[in-house]
Amino acid sequence: MCGIVGVVSQAPVNQLIYDALLLLQHRGQDAAGIVTQQGRKFFMHKAKGMVRDVFRTRNMRALPGNVGLGQVRYPTAGNAFSEEEAQPFYVNAPFGLVMVHNGNLTNAQGLKQELFQTDHRHINTESDSEVLLNVLAHELEKSTRGASLKPADVFAAVRGVHRRIKGSYAVIALIAGHGLLAFRDPFGIRPLCIGRNADGSRMVASESVTLEGNGFELERDVAPGEAVFINLDGQASFEQCADRVSHNPCIFEYVYLARPDSVLDGISVYQARLNMGKTLAKRLVSTVPPSEIDVVIPIPESSRPSAMELAQILGLPYREGFVKNRYVGRTFIMPGQGVRKKSVRQKLNVIASEFKGRNVLLVDDSIVRGTTSKEIVQMARDAGARKVYMASAAPPVRYPNVYGIDMPTAQELVAHDRTVEQVRELIGCDALIYQDVDAMKQAIAALNPKLAGFDASCFDGVYVTGDITPEIIARMNQGRDQTEEGQEDSSRLALPNAQTA
Ligand SMILES: O=P(O)(O)OC[C@H]1O[C@H](OP(=O)(O)OP(=O)(O)O)[C@H](O)[C@@H]1O
Ligand SMILES: NC(=O)CC[C@H](N)C(=O)O
Ligand SMILES: [Mg+2]
């Protein structure tokens, strides 16, 4: 999950795209990039780091033009430490194309061979997004008849792209001198929405908060399989470009990835988290009687709405027991387990008085590798808590994610091949309560009955694209490098006796 944005305006867009990327920063903290277009020329700046560090005044001045796009990257393919793989990506033919991508292709390795052998195209990085751009470029070359490019040619190219690529993709591209193209995979796994502001400018972005925060009104979500082409005057054409579509957004967006003030595919992320808190409360009472809990404490940030609702339903006090250092980024999306572990302690500190002599229920949105839970349970005990119960608003994360969340292997997931009791022992809490998979799906689906379902593969092992095998997962992980040179990356928490279910 990266954050992507594109704008077509009649005024300079560099600052607007910068501001939009700041509103998407929670989706990717490893690299950032912006491209603008003036006349037929692209201007690009991209580098590793957070938005505020990547763009200095001189870089901003060198991004002229009324059309542009940007990305914040959270690597899920290739090398997390490579500056080369920062987005946007550029190819010079046909017309000149730049592109940003949120998602993950599941057939990138095969396509790379095909692009080389059949299309005679060279891919210079391990990024699946560079593969995607070259497929788009090839299809656009094929579909363009005559010198000028029409929306119908662009849509024909997207049809060709849908036929060739597999996996998840929300894409925004600029075609030099022509306009902005955006499209979404036929399952609508990764989010993408479109809006307009008072002067007629259009913005396409991963999350509605990006539009709202910049004075744009959300028009609607881009539909699964649909493409939008916006010409340089701001006129938009829409076309369904996939033969078969089924709307199954990634449920982890609602659990953790997206901002609570966003509405994705008609569902308020905040309301989804409240609903999950409600169902978690129901489940909790069968394990720990509320009378044994003195206080409910959220693990900042993402768990707050669920924890608050759970406390309300159970009639328990809701208190802040951990203070988050706002200058440390989100730990789950950091590359490498070493840095993630160190960051939890740097990021969260206890307010000891909330723990001393109390039975506390800690609530997190999800437990993935267990890095956060293990640390904070210990911190709660060190602060004098009598009993430490732990609840997760999401079910156990047991299966790898192949659609753009960085959980590439089952082995690194604390709940993979382990019973809840074994995870409890590992994390070190007195009781561990997880959400139920169906209850979570129902709690969120109730907010938009039109959806076909969700991709909840990391919880239930069912991959919505229907074509994922262990061999494909292994293949996707070839060429992935999440460690800096020579650094060990032992992601999995281990029980002292290395016991598994
Ligand atoms: O089990 P783990 O592997 O530790 O991953 C799960 C934790 O990571 C996330 O927090 P993060 O710090 O990334 O972001 P947040 O501040 O939005 O909660 C998530 O909210 C959990 O707290
Ligand atoms: N999280 C994402 O959307 C990542 C996009 C792309 N797969 C990359 O690794 O750069
Ligand atoms: Mg968290």
Side-chain angles (χ1 to χ4, degrees):
M1 80 143 190
C2 301
I4 58 174
V5 61
V7 182
V8 178
S9 176
Q10 301 308 317
V13 290
N14 51 357
Q15 188 63 46
L16 185 57
I17 294 176
Y18 178 94
D19 294 344
L21 290 185
L22 283 181
L23 285 166
L24 290 170
Q25 186 76 84
H26 60 287
R27 298 183 67 86
Q29 301 172 347
D30 285 282
I34 295 179
V35 165
T36 55
Q37 182 201 295
Q38 192 176 47
R40 283 192 171 255
K41 194 165 177 193
F42 289 135
F43 298 82
M44 171 149 69
H45 180 67
K46 61 176 182 174
K48 277 172 56 58
M50 307 272 271
V51 176
R52 61 165 186 261
D53 302 318
V54 166
F55 299 98
R56 320 303 307 186
T57 309
R58 63 178 179 281
N59 309 125
M60 294 299 288
R61 284 210 191 100
L63 292 167
N66 300 346
V67 182
L69 45 77
Q71 201 237 25
V72 283
R73 183 178 188 226
Y74 156 61
T76 53
N79 183 342
F81 293 94
S82 160
E83 189 134 320
E84 311 272 282
E85 294 180 14
Q87 298 193 29
F89 277 106
Y90 163 77
V91 285
N92 70 343
F95 306 107
L97 279 176
V98 281
M99 190 206 77
V100 288
H101 165 219
N102 171 208
N104 216 23
L105 302 193
T106 55
N107 63 339
Q109 300 294 342
L111 279 172
K112 206 168 168 175
Q113 296 293 326
E114 194 180 296
L115 281 166
F116 178 67
Q117 282 160 2
T118 317
D119 302 346
H120 303 140
R121 285 184 167 267
H122 171 69
I123 307 295
N124 208 43
T125 69
E126 295 303 320
S127 166
D128 58 326
S129 309
E130 193 190 1
V131 170
L132 202 169
L133 174 58
N134 277 274
V135 173
L136 174 63
H138 188 80
E139 295 300 317
L140 199 58
E141 180 85 63
K142 265 189 2 198
S143 69
T144 308
R145 292 163 294 261
S148 71
L149 180 75
K150 296 174 199 62
D153 303 333
V154 177
F155 295 139
V158 175
R159 248 176 243 119
V161 171
H162 283 323
R163 277 195 286 269
R164 288 179 75 179
I165 69 176
K166 292 183 175 151
S168 69
Y169 46 99
V171 171
I172 310 175
L174 289 182
I175 306 172
H178 289 92
L180 180 147
L181 165 69
F183 55 95
R184 205 173 165 193
D185 68 69
F187 293 90
I189 299 173
R190 300 261 71 92
L192 195 65
C193 60
I194 182 163
R196 192 203 283 261
N197 74 3
D199 69 20
S201 301
R202 297 273 195 162
M203 183 183 276
V204 185
S206 299
E207 290 189 31
S208 66
V209 64
T210 323
L211 307 183
E212 247 178 53
N214 286 297
F216 283 71
E217 201 177 316
L218 172 68
E219 292 178 86
R220 63 181 181 87
D221 296 283
V222 176
E226 187 183 33
V228 186
F229 181 69
I230 308 171
N231 71 16
L232 297 176
D233 297 324
Q235 281 165 342
S237 327
F238 297 82
E239 190 154 305
Q240 179 51 257
C241 297
D243 298 335
R244 283 195 11 229
V245 296
S246 169
H247 200 170
N248 295 269
C250 167
I251 207 158
F252 211 67
E253 292 277 352
Y254 303 101
V255 168
Y256 163 76
L257 299 179
R259 269 183 49 151
D261 44 347
S262 279
V263 177
L264 307 182
D265 290 314
I267 295 177
S268 149
V269 175
Y270 179 69
Q271 189 60 50
R273 291 180 189 169
L274 291 180
N275 287 11
M276 282 187 272
K278 200 179 284 177
T279 50
L280 182 63
K282 284 191 198 136
R283 199 167 159 94
L284 182 115
V285 290
S286 57
T287 314
V288 185
S291 57
E292 279 187 27
I293 300 168
D294 295 320
V295 62
V296 176
I297 295 180
I299 313 302
E301 271 304 314
S302 302
S303 69
R304 282 210 173 99
S306 299
M308 200 170 63
E309 188 70 2
L310 175 144
Q312 162 105 11
I313 300 229
L314 298 180
L316 291 168
Y318 170 84
R319 305 297 282 257
E320 295 290 342
F322 293 95
V323 176
K324 178 178 170 171
N325 179 341
R326 69 183 69 186
Y327 303 103
V328 177
R330 302 182 99 185
T331 44
F332 170 72
I333 67 171
M334 287 176 181
Q337 182 65 1
V339 61
R340 277 192 289 259
K341 196 161 178 240
K342 186 159 160 254
S343 296
V344 174
R345 288 274 176 163
Q346 280 181 338
K347 178 175 132 173
L348 296 171
N349 192 37
V350 290
I351 300 174
S353 55
E354 291 296 344
F355 294 87
K356 213 165 178 48
R358 291 183 176 163
N359 292 344
V360 297
L361 172 66
L362 308 180
V363 180
D364 210 344
D365 53 87
S366 56
I367 301 172
V368 182
R369 297 177 180 86
T371 325
T372 308
S373 339
K374 191 174 163 69
E375 294 291 324
I376 53 116
V377 166
Q378 190 55 47
M379 284 162 79
R381 290 205 193 282
D382 293 346
R386 226 173 19 194
K387 289 252 165 99
V388 182
Y389 307 120
M390 179 88 208
S392 164
V397 175
R398 293 206 154 106
Y399 305 91
N401 186 288
V402 296
Y403 301 128
I405 305 173
D406 189 25
M407 309 171 184
T409 62
Q411 283 64 36
E412 72 199 68
L413 307 169
V414 68
H416 171 71
D417 258 354
R418 285 196 178 120
T419 62
V420 173
E421 173 53 23
Q422 285 173 328
V423 178
R424 184 204 61 74
E425 194 189 333
L426 234 158
I427 287 170
C429 53
D430 296 294
L432 173 63
I433 303 94
Y434 274 111
Q435 179 83 261
D436 169 72
V437 180
D438 287 335
M440 171 188 64
K441 288 185 188 171
Q442 279 161 22
I444 305 177
L447 301 169
N448 183 0
K450 287 193 194 138
L451 295 177
F454 294 99
D455 173 71
S457 49
C458 59
F459 302 112
D460 62 11
V462 178
Y463 295 87
V464 283
T465 53
D467 53 2
I468 303 301
T469 59
E471 292 70 38
I472 288 180
I473 295 175
R475 195 149 182 230
M476 288 175 69
N477 288 331
Q478 282 166 13
R480 267 216 88 183
D481 188 359
Q482 277 211 285
T483 58
E484 296 208 67
E485 270 182 319
Q487 187 187 315
E488 277 260 309
D489 187 30
S490 58
S491 299
R492 173 118 153 142
L493 287 176
L495 281 166
N497 56 1
Q499 203 182 4
T500 53

